[in-house]
Amino acid sequence: MKQAKILFVCHGNICRSPMAEFVMKKIVADAGLEEQFYIESAATSTEEIGNEVYPPAKRKLAEHGITCKGKTARQMTRGDYQRFDLLIGMDDWNIRNMKRICQDDPDKKIHRLMDFTPRAGEVADPWYTGNFEATWQDVWEGCNCLLEQLRG
């Protein structure tokens, strides 16, 4: 199997997409599959570029023994479409912006994370709700279901 390259994307790259990046890295590592995956995250906006992961998101990851040390927000680029096999957004607004940045999705690489689960929809946005546990649950389920599907 060739290395699968996955980019998780949200609006600012400080809450949901870095949570997904580091959760996916953990479950891939726990499965002994690190060599088969390359995983990053990015933003659709420029608002948080260079900022670290939002402290409540960092704390939620730490509760589960996951570190995101050194991660700073970056913006998704058109070139990411060629670099990655899957570009996974957290909500419909992300998907629209991702398709705009990439000038559409001719290779059908852009998906919502929750579409890999039995309950398709959007990942809860803790920026507005303050509920990082709900986001954790969505991200954990989404990443585990994604790995199951990629493994066949």
Side-chain angles (χ1 to χ4, degrees), residues 38-91:
Y38 178 79
I39 303 159
E40 280 188 27
S41 64
T44 59
S45 75
T46 57
E47 294 163 30
E48 302 288 347
I49 302 305
N51 290 338
E52 290 187 5
V53 175
Y54 192 52
K58 209 182 278 191
R59 283 193 296 275
K60 183 52 69 176
L61 288 170
E63 281 176 27
H64 298 275
I66 300 172
T67 181
C68 56
K69 188 170 173 44
K71 170 63 183 170
T72 56
R74 77 164 181 91
Q75 187 177 25
M76 178 184 169
T77 66
R78 189 168 168 208
D80 286 329
Y81 194 80
Q82 298 309 318
R83 288 183 49 225
F84 290 90
D85 304 309
L86 285 172
L87 296 92
I88 300 177
M90 302 296 130
D91 62 33

Side-chain angles (χ1 to χ4, degrees), residues 89-92 111-124 138 141-142 145 149:
M90 302 296 130
D91 62 33
D92 292 336
H111 305 273
R112 292 186 308 183
L113 180 59
M114 296 309 290
D115 290 346
F116 293 96
T117 75
R119 52 185 193 91
E122 300 186 343
V123 172
D138 285 350
E141 180 183 5
C145 289
Q149 288 187 36

Side-chain angles (χ1 to χ4, degrees), residues 27-36:
I27 63 174
V28 161
D30 288 351
L33 301 171
E34 299 103 321
E35 299 301 314
Q36 295 178 33

